[in-house]
């Protein structure tokens, strides 16, 4: 697999981030500190939706709301 680190990785040793690897229909994710451990694999559309959600400033401001926790 061709792993790459997040462009949002901070300074330091460069080992405090996630890495992703594109697969034909999925995206694999692993912890850069433990690259030999298990990976998570998401269908590409689900990964895209997750990243879009994390980039949305409104989703961050709603993180503590009852609506986001499923308690409407």
């Amino acid at each position: 697999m061709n792993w790459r680190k997040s462009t949002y990785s901070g300074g330091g040793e460069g080992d405090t981030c996630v890495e992703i690897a594109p697969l034909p229909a999925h995206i694999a994710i692993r912890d850069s500190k433990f690259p030999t451990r298990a990976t998570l694999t998401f269908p590409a559309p689900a990964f895209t939706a997750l990243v879009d959600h994390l980039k949305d400033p409104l989703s961050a401001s709603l993180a503590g709301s009852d609506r986001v926790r499923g308690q409407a």
Side-chain angles (χ1 to χ4, degrees):
M1 274 190 249
N2 187 21
W3 293 98
R4 68 177 181 92
K5 290 186 180 183
S6 167
T7 57
Y8 291 98
S9 297
E13 300 294 318
D15 61 353
T16 56
C17 66
V18 296
E19 297 175 319
I20 64 167
L23 302 171
H26 293 80
I27 302 293
I29 303 171
R30 71 181 182 183
D31 183 341
S32 64
K33 293 183 298 294
F34 304 104
T36 59
R37 291 191 181 171
T39 62
L40 297 173
T41 305
F42 295 93
F47 180 77
T48 300
L50 172 64
V51 171
D52 289 345
H53 177 75
L54 294 173
K55 287 181 179 180
D56 181 7
L58 183 58
S59 68
S61 67
L62 293 175
S65 76
D66 289 340
R67 199 175 102 207
V68 171
R69 289 188 297 240
Q71 301 172 2

